[in-house]
Amino acid sequence: MSLLHHWEHEFDKVKVRLHGLVTRLEMSWQKLVNELEPEEFEAIVKLLQRGHDQAQYVIKHGELPDDEPAVPWELAHGLSILKIGNPSPLPQTVAELPTQVLKDGTLLGCRKWELLDLLWSEALLKWIENLRHHATFATNPALVKMDSDVVLAIAGDWGTGPFDSHAPAVAVANQMQLAEADFTIHLGDVYYAGTHSQEDVDMAGWPQGKQGSFTLNSNHEMYSGAHGYFKELAKRFPVQQGTSYFALYNDDWLVVGLDTAYASDAMNLYMDGTLNTQQIEWMKTLPKRKKLMVLSHHQGFDISGHNKTALYQPVCDALGREPDYWYWGHLHNGICYAPQGGLHARCAGHGAIPYGTTSELNGHVRVLWSETQLAGDEAYPLRVLNGYVKVQLKGEEIVETFYGEDGSVRWSSQ
């Protein structure tokens, strides 16, 4: 079967699944409309319009406009699906829009996981259904003592499945198993919308650490109001005590895992990291150690490492200082940044989602490494290697190694 025929077959399967989604989306939209104030309704329609216009612009010009902030691509098909206005149609098939790589590494196309994949509409559906219905925020965070010699295996944006295939998530999980980590940590994002069934299926193959595993909340988990996320904690991540933030410590290190999604702005689809009061007060009580590491879904820098995000300073203020190391996901890239001040920042959001070479980072002085090696994937010829990062702590020392899904060392601090 040719690749084109393969994707045509996949599109036919998507249409069947999408029919049910569209029906539910229309019903949920009507229910929400009845609950909304007029200004809220106008704001959502404006968001959907911006999502549609953004897609049209990028298809025509090849990149995002410089003078307007991006909106989540989950909104792109919203106007059409909800039959709001008379929007011009967007491409829906590989034949209509061959895949191209944007400068941030995202894949513009219509195949599974690409920016115009119709099934991202499930995220829009769950966002609408849960806009005012969030799970209760738990406040019993785990404080776990580590050995002085400990191995962490960290991957972000990994929750894609399926595990009866050769999907990148499977290959990355297999490599993580080889690390024989004491703790494995998922930096968040279970797709498409962090529902209970998706958490149950997509996290089924998560490699467990010898002493425990943790998973962070994220924008995709919040689309379902974090209901599926908190249920998954109880089932598969018992060490986490049902709470979306935690800390690990020994005599030398404090490792702090944060929920940067729960308090994020729902009207921006939880895209920007934020801390709530409960976490800030808890962070101030944590034991002080010479070495400090932060784990979060949302990033502390923009993709180039040039500008700090709104999350950066609140994290530093709550902890009383700048972290020595900070690992985040959210951006579907593998990136090591050059030290800035005392901070070594890393993006490990390349756990499973297909992405391409991030050309805007080429030659950038603040980037030590970003993934550029093609994965040799016939289904996604432009995809580069997915992977994870292994972190070894021994006393005050740290060794970081980014591994590709093929087992190759992609970057190491040694």
Side-chain angles (χ1 to χ4, degrees), residues 65-85:
D66 294 327
D67 57 348
E68 188 172 343
V71 296
W73 281 82
E74 288 85 350
L75 300 170
H77 291 289
L79 284 183
S80 300
I81 291 174
L82 294 171
K83 301 180 177 64
I84 298 173

Side-chain angles (χ1 to χ4, degrees), residues 10-51:
E10 289 295 310
F11 180 65
D12 288 338
K13 291 196 295 184
V14 166
K15 285 194 292 186
V16 173
R17 181 176 171 187
L18 190 66
H19 177 73
L21 283 177
V22 169
T23 301
R24 287 173 56 204
L25 189 54
E26 290 172 342
M27 294 173 60
S28 297
W29 175 245
Q30 289 305 315
K31 182 176 183 295
L32 182 65
V33 166
N34 293 330
E35 299 175 357
L36 292 173
E37 298 295 330
E39 60 272 16
E40 293 177 305
F41 173 79
E42 292 174 9
I44 292 176
V45 171
K46 185 178 179 181
L47 265 178
L48 294 171
Q49 184 67 59
R50 286 179 58 199

Side-chain angles (χ1 to χ4, degrees), residues 86-247:
N86 187 30
S88 51
L90 294 173
Q92 297 184 1
T93 67
V94 178
E96 292 176 277
L97 182 65
T99 301
Q100 57 186 282
V101 183
L102 302 186
K103 66 181 180 180
D104 67 354
T106 52
L107 300 181
L108 177 64
C110 302
R111 297 178 296 180
K112 189 173 180 65
W113 309 126
E114 295 180 340
L115 291 176
L116 290 178
D117 175 2
L118 281 163
L119 290 180
W120 288 120
S121 300
E122 182 168 11
L124 174 60
L125 163 66
K126 301 309 293 185
W127 176 69
I128 286 174
E129 287 182 340
N130 293 280
L131 193 57
R132 296 185 169 183
H133 306 286
H134 292 172
T136 302
F137 186 79
T139 55
N140 183 38
L143 181 60
V144 179
K145 191 172 187 349
M146 304 184 293
D147 295 334
S148 60
D149 190 347
V150 66
V151 175
L152 313 176
I154 303 169
D157 305 69
W158 178 88
T160 58
F163 295 101
D164 57 352
S165 72
H166 299 289
V170 178
V172 170
N174 290 339
Q175 292 302 322
M176 291 177 71
Q177 291 282 17
L178 297 177
E180 298 185 334
D182 297 289
F183 297 96
T184 59
I185 300 159
H186 182 227
L187 298 177
D189 267 3
V190 175
Y191 303 98
Y192 287 89
T195 64
H196 179 51
S197 61
Q198 287 166 356
E199 293 276 350
D200 200 40
V201 171
D202 291 351
M203 295 302 288
W206 179 255
Q208 294 293 312
K210 291 185 291 186
Q211 298 181 41
S213 294
F214 298 86
T215 187
L216 295 178
N217 195 13
S218 74
N219 54 307
H220 281 267
E221 276 84 337
M222 286 305 300
Y223 296 150
S224 287
H227 295 285
Y229 168 77
F230 281 107
K231 287 180 181 178
E232 187 66 16
L233 288 183
K235 178 177 181 179
R236 195 165 279 127
F237 298 90
V239 177
Q240 207 161 325
Q241 299 181 177
T243 305
S244 55
Y245 55 106
F246 62 89

Side-chain angles (χ1 to χ4, degrees), residues 348-399:
H350 65 322
I353 291 287
Y355 73 109
T357 298
T358 310
S359 59
E360 69 177 295
L361 300 183
N362 291 348
H364 202 293
V365 295
R366 298 197 175 186
V367 174
L368 298 176
W369 167 83
S370 65
E371 185 58 82
T372 59
Q373 178 63 50
L374 288 173
D377 186 339
E378 186 182 33
Y380 295 92
L382 298 175
R383 181 173 77 84
V384 298
L385 289 170
N386 293 94
Y388 82 101
V389 58
K390 177 181 177 181
V391 178
Q392 299 168 275
L393 306 178
K394 190 170 186 178
E396 294 180 16
E397 300 301 315
I398 181 172
V399 176

